[in-house]
Amino acid sequence: MDTTIAPGDDFFAYANGNWLKATKIPDDQVGWGSFNTLYEENLQRTKTILDEAAKADPKPGSSAQKLGDFYLSGLDTNRINALGYTPLEGELIAIRALTDYKSVLTYLTTTDVDPGGKLLGFRVAADDRQNTINRINFVQAGLSLPERSYYTRQDSATRAVRKAFVHYVATLFRLTGVDARSAQTKADAILAFEMKLAGSHKPPAELGDPVANYHRLAVADLSQQMPNLAWRELLDNLGLNRVDTVLMAQPAYYKTLNELLPLVSVDDLKDYLTFTLLDDKANLLSQPFQSARFAFRDKMLYGQKQQTVRWKRVAVVIDQHMGDVLGRRWVARYFPPAAKTRLAALVDNLQRVYRERIEQLDWMTPKTKRVALIKLENLVKRIGYPTHWDDYGNVVIKQGDFFGNAQRLGIYQTAKKLAKVDRPVDPEDWLMTPITVNAYANPADNEIVFPAGILQFPFFDKDADDAINYGAIGMVIGHEMTHLFDNQGRQYDQLGQLRDWWTKSDAALFTKKTDALVNQFSKYTIAGQYVDGRLTLSENLADLGGVTLAYQAFKETKQGRGNTKINGFSPDQRFFLGFAQIWRFKFSAEAERLSLVTNPHAPVRFRVNGTLTNFSPFYQAFGVKRGERLYKADGERVVVW
C-alpha cells in the first residue's frame, strides 16, 4: 500500500502503490501481478506432475505414458533442433504443388495439419438461436497482426510493428532456404494481401454484439452468393457432407475473400499459406524458428525481453493439447473437495443476493423481471473441473517426436470438434482447462465456470477473513454472474436462447445506464491513448456488478455485520482492499498499448477506480468527499444491478 495517497484520489495506487514502485517485471514476462504469481505457482505444481510422469514406467498407451513421453519429447531440444523444419516438409511440398485459388481452398480443407488454416476461421459451438444444437460458425480471419487498425494506423509505433512484421515474415522464409531478396518480396506481398483482408474486418468493439454477429445461412444460398469459395465442396472436404446450414458471424470477410482470391496470384497465395503454416508451428520447430517468432510476437508486440524457460513452454503446449489428462492429475493433488464445497457455498450466496437485488430493482418492469429471475434460477454453476475426462483415445504419443505428438493430438481434437456439428450440445463440455487462471460465463448455456486454477491464493485463501475472500474471489464470482445480464448476456433468455425478452422501456433504461458507463471509461487515458468505453463495456458492467453482489453477500456474514478492525482496517475497508489488490498489475508499455485496442478489459487502474467511483459503500468506508478525484455526486453514479 501507499498510504500517502488519499483513497478518494486514486484507490488503486493507495492499495498497491508501494508494490507498483518496487516491482520489476521479470524479463520473461509481459507484465507482473496477482494472475502471474498464481500462474507461476500453478506451473510449478504442473512441473511436479510432469517430472513424475517422465520418470515413471507406465503401461504403453496409458494416459500416464502419454503425459510423460509428450513432456520428454518437448524437452528433447537436440532432437527438435536436428529436425529443423523437416516435420513440415510434406505440407510445404503440397503447398508448392497448388495451381490456382481453387486448389488452395481444397488444400485448406483437406490438410490434417490445420484445417481451414489462417484463411478460413471457424469454431463449433451451440447455435445461439437453437442452443441445443452445435453449428459450425465461420468467423473473420486471415490476419497475422492483432486487429484491423494495425494495417491502417500511421502513428510511428504501428508503422514500426508493420515493418517488424515484414522482417519476421522474411526471416521465416530465409530459414527455409529462400534467398534474402525473394524473402523480402514475398513478405511485402503477404502484408499487402492481409491489408486487403483487413478492410473487411469488424473492429473489436463491434464483435461483442451477439445479434449483429449472428447469421444463419443455407449452404445452397452461400454457394450462390459466394461461388468462388465453393462452400459445398469445402464442407464436404471437412467431412460435413450432411451439413446444409452454417452460421457466419462476419459475412463481410467472406464476401471480400470470395472477390479477392481470384485476383491474387497463386504464387502469393502459396507464400501466404507457407508463412502462416510456419508462423503457427514455429514453437514446435527448431530454435531459430522459435527465436524468430519470439522476436516479433512476444518482444515486439508485447515487450517481453526474453523467452521463458523451455519446460514452461512445453507445459503450456501440453495443457493446450492434453488439458484433461494433465488437469485430472492436477486437481486430484491440488484442489481438495473441501475447497470446492466452500466455493460452491460462496456462489450460492451471491446467486441469492442477485435474486434479491433483481426483485428490488425500481427501473425494471415485472414482465422483464419475471424472466430475469427464472434465468438466474436456471443458472448452471461449474466449479473446479469437468465431470468427465478425455483420455485422447488411441492417439500415439512417443519420445523424440514433439511435433508429431502435437500434430496427432491436434488431428484428434479437430475430428472430435467437427463430429459435434449438427449434433446435440454436451452441456458438460468446458472451454478452459482445469489449471487455467481465469473464469468465464457462457450465456448460450446460461453457465458460469470457475477452473480450479483460479481458486487459489490470492483470489481465494481458506485462511483469510471473509472480507478479503469476498472482495477477491467473491467479486470474480459476481463478475461472471453479471456477464449473463450485461449488454451482451442480457440478450439471451432463461433457456440460453438469443432472443429479445426485454420490454422496450426496460431495454431503453438499461441502455441509458450503460451509455453513462461507456462515456465514463472513454475519458480515461493511458500514455496518451484513450480507453475504448464501447469495447470494454461488458467487462466494466461485470466489474461493477461483481463488486455490488460480493459486497452485499459479504455484509450478510458475521464479519460483515460487525466492525472489528484487523490491522487497523474495518471489515468494509478490507473488502475494498481485497478487491483492489487482486488487480495489482504492471504491464510493459507495448502490452498496454496493444491491450487498449484489443482487450475488452479496461486497464487495471480503471477497473478499480472506475468501478468504485460509482459505488456508494466505498465512499462511506473511506470517507470519500467532494473535491477528491474519484468523487461523483450521488445522482451521477452509475447503478445497474
Side-chain angles (χ1 to χ4, degrees):
M1 297 178 64
D2 183 353
T3 55
T4 66
I5 296 174
D9 280 336
D10 186 346
F11 192 69
F12 179 78
Y14 171 79
N16 301 307
N18 285 340
W19 180 91
L20 291 166
K21 294 173 188 174
T23 297
K24 177 182 179 294
I25 299 172
D27 287 346
D28 65 347
Q29 303 285 332
V30 302
W32 194 249
S34 53
F35 276 83
N36 305 83
T37 55
L38 175 52
Y39 179 70
E40 289 295 311
E41 184 175 340
N42 286 353
L43 270 180
Q44 291 293 336
R45 292 170 168 176
T46 297
K47 186 177 188 297
T48 298
I49 292 170
L50 293 174
D51 285 341
E52 290 176 358
K55 294 173 184 175
D57 186 21
K59 178 182 176 181
S62 65
S63 294
Q65 177 266 315
K66 293 175 183 177
L67 190 64
D69 284 355
F70 196 7
Y71 185 50
L72 287 172
S73 72
L75 297 181
D76 189 356
T77 53
N78 289 335
R79 172 67 174 163
I80 293 168
N81 288 332
L83 289 172
Y85 67 93
T86 58
L88 287 176
E89 273 187 347
E91 294 299 315
L92 296 176
I93 291 171
I95 291 172
R96 287 196 290 270
L98 301 177
T99 56
D100 56 20
Y101 79 89
K102 293 180 181 179
S103 62
V104 166
L105 291 170
T106 299
Y107 166 78
L108 284 172
T109 50
T110 55
T111 176
D112 285 334
V113 172
D114 184 19
K118 178 77 77 173
L119 213 51
L120 304 175
F122 64 84
R123 59 176 179 254
V124 177
D127 183 332
D128 282 350
R129 294 196 186 277
Q130 191 181 357
N131 69 342
T132 58
I133 299 296
N134 284 307
R135 304 270 186 214
I136 188 168
N137 190 345
F138 288 90
V139 299
Q140 64 187 27
L143 305 187
S144 301
L145 298 181
E147 54 89 31
R148 58 175 284 169
S149 73
Y150 274 78
Y151 295 87
T152 57
R153 294 205 314 260
Q154 295 303 317
D155 59 278
S156 59
T158 306
R159 290 200 306 272
V161 168
R162 287 197 293 271
K163 182 178 179 180
F165 171 65
V166 170
H167 175 75
Y168 169 52
V169 177
T171 299
L172 291 186
F173 278 110
R174 290 197 304 273
L175 289 173
T176 62
V178 176
D179 67 86
R181 178 176 294 181
S182 297
Q184 183 68 35
T185 300
K186 292 174 185 291
D188 289 337
I190 287 168
L191 177 61
F193 175 60
E194 292 195 10
M195 290 181 81
K196 293 174 183 176
L197 293 177
S200 70
H201 269 230
K202 285 187 175 184
E206 294 181 17
L207 297 177
D209 184 338
V211 174
N213 290 280
Y214 180 93
H215 306 87
R216 186 191 294 180
L217 301 166
V219 175
D221 292 339
L222 270 181
S223 298
Q224 290 184 341
Q225 296 168 16
M226 308 175 197
N228 294 328
L229 297 183
W231 286 99
R232 182 69 273 161
E233 181 182 343
L234 296 188
L235 292 168
D236 289 350
N237 290 342
L238 291 170
L240 302 177
N241 55 314
R242 68 183 185 277
V243 171
D244 59 10
T245 302
V246 302
L247 300 180
M248 188 168 286
Q250 294 87 32
Y253 169 76
Y254 289 95
K255 291 177 182 177
T256 296
L257 191 63
N258 176 71
E259 297 166 359
L260 186 60
L261 284 182
L263 305 178
V264 179
S265 76
V266 68
D267 286 338
D268 285 351
L269 291 176
K270 290 194 291 186
D271 288 340
Y272 173 81
L273 295 184
T274 299
F275 159 67
T276 54
L277 179 64
L278 291 168
D279 177 42
D280 185 56
K281 304 301 180 185
N283 285 333
L284 302 175
L285 301 176
S286 58
Q287 188 59 49
F289 289 91
Q290 297 172 45
S291 296
R293 193 178 200 281
F294 168 79
F296 177 68
R297 296 262 175 230
D298 300 316
K299 189 173 184 179
M300 181 67 195
L301 290 180
Y302 287 93
Q304 185 175 328
K305 296 177 181 177
Q306 68 182 40
Q307 280 186 297
T308 53
V309 295
R310 179 69 189 174
W311 74 261
K312 291 183 181 180
R313 286 181 277 147
V314 175
V316 170
V317 172
I318 292 174
D319 186 40
Q320 291 169 342
H321 288 78
M322 291 183 66
D324 275 15
V325 167
L326 176 60
R328 189 171 191 176
R329 285 161 173 72
W330 201 95
V331 298
R333 179 173 296 193
Y334 301 116
F335 190 64
K340 184 170 184 174
T341 299
R342 185 168 179 193
L343 264 297
L346 270 174
V347 175
D348 289 344
N349 287 346
L350 268 77
Q351 184 181 19
R352 176 175 45 78
V353 164
Y354 210 165
R355 184 185 308 115
E356 293 171 0
R357 294 193 69 85
I358 291 174
E359 289 172 342
Q360 296 166 10
L361 286 177
D362 59 3
W363 60 267
M364 183 179 280
T365 60
K367 181 179 179 181
T368 306
K369 192 178 291 188
R370 182 166 56 251
V371 179
L373 290 169
I374 296 172
K375 177 175 178 174
L376 183 64
E377 189 64 30
N378 290 348
L379 175 67
V380 178
K381 298 159 281 188
R382 305 194 190 282
I383 299 172
Y385 47 86
T387 57
H388 58 239
W389 303 92
D390 193 343
D391 64 2
Y392 305 94
N394 296 319
V395 176
V396 174
I397 303 295
K398 53 189 177 183
Q399 295 183 31
D401 192 14
F402 187 51
F403 182 93
N405 292 335
Q407 183 57 31
R408 287 186 289 275
L409 284 163
I411 292 170
Y412 171 86
Q413 291 171 337
T414 298
K416 182 180 177 182
K417 176 172 68 175
L418 290 173
K420 296 177 181 179
V421 177
D422 283 4
R423 303 297 187 193
V425 170
D426 182 353
E428 298 299 325
D429 278 353
W430 281 46
L431 304 179
M432 291 179 179
T433 64
I435 71 172
T436 303
V437 184
N438 210 334
Y440 68 90
N442 182 2
D445 286 339
N446 197 33
E447 67 177 358
I448 51 176
V449 183
F450 303 95
I454 198 173
L455 304 176
Q456 317 280 330
F457 179 84
F459 293 90
F460 173 68
D461 182 355
K462 63 182 178 61
D463 298 320
D465 54 305
D466 281 336
I468 297 299
N469 276 328
Y470 274 88
I473 196 62
M475 180 272 172
V476 173
I477 293 168
H479 173 103
E480 299 303 338
M481 212 172 276
T482 304
H483 268 315
L484 298 176
F485 295 88
D486 67 16
N487 58 308
Q488 300 171 23
R490 77 169 188 86
Q491 299 185 67
Y492 296 78
D493 67 13
Q494 74 275 20
L495 299 177
Q497 305 276 25
L498 182 61
R499 74 172 180 90
D500 189 0
W501 52 277
W502 289 55
T503 66
K504 289 184 178 180
S505 60
D506 289 340
L509 284 171
F510 180 86
T511 300
K512 182 178 180 180
K513 290 173 177 289
T514 60
D515 282 348
L517 209 59
V518 169
N519 293 334
Q520 174 192 327
F521 276 81
S522 295
K523 295 175 183 176
Y524 296 140
T525 60
I526 292 282
Q529 247 184 299
Y530 281 95
V531 173
D532 187 336
R534 187 63 60 186
L535 171 63
T536 58
L537 175 58
S538 174
E539 298 297 338
N540 296 335
L541 282 168
D543 284 344
L544 181 56
V547 166
T548 302
L549 298 178
Y551 178 77
Q552 182 168 323
F554 166 63
K555 294 302 288 182
E556 296 179 7
T557 67
K558 181 179 179 180
Q559 183 188 18
R561 293 191 299 269
N563 200 33
T564 302
K565 291 186 176 182
I566 300 176
N567 295 331
F569 294 102
S570 71
D572 279 19
Q573 289 173 331
R574 288 179 64 80
F575 170 89
F576 292 113
L577 289 169
F579 162 63
Q581 291 186 343
I582 62 169
W583 303 116
R584 181 175 58 205
F585 283 98
K586 288 183 76 170
F587 290 103
S588 69
E590 294 88 345
E592 269 193 339
R593 184 164 55 245
L594 178 62
S595 179
L596 282 168
V597 294
T598 61
N599 194 339
H601 301 87
V604 287
R605 179 180 299 274
F606 305 128
R607 293 191 72 172
V608 174
N609 291 345
T611 297
L612 295 182
T613 192
N614 291 308
F615 197 54
S616 295
F618 164 69
Y619 287 65
Q620 296 156 12
F622 285 95
V624 179
K625 56 186 181 295
R626 189 182 300 275
E628 293 183 313
R629 288 200 293 270
L630 298 186
Y631 180 87
K632 271 187 182 182
D634 189 50
E636 297 175 1
R637 297 170 198 168
V638 179
V639 180
V640 183
W641 298 105

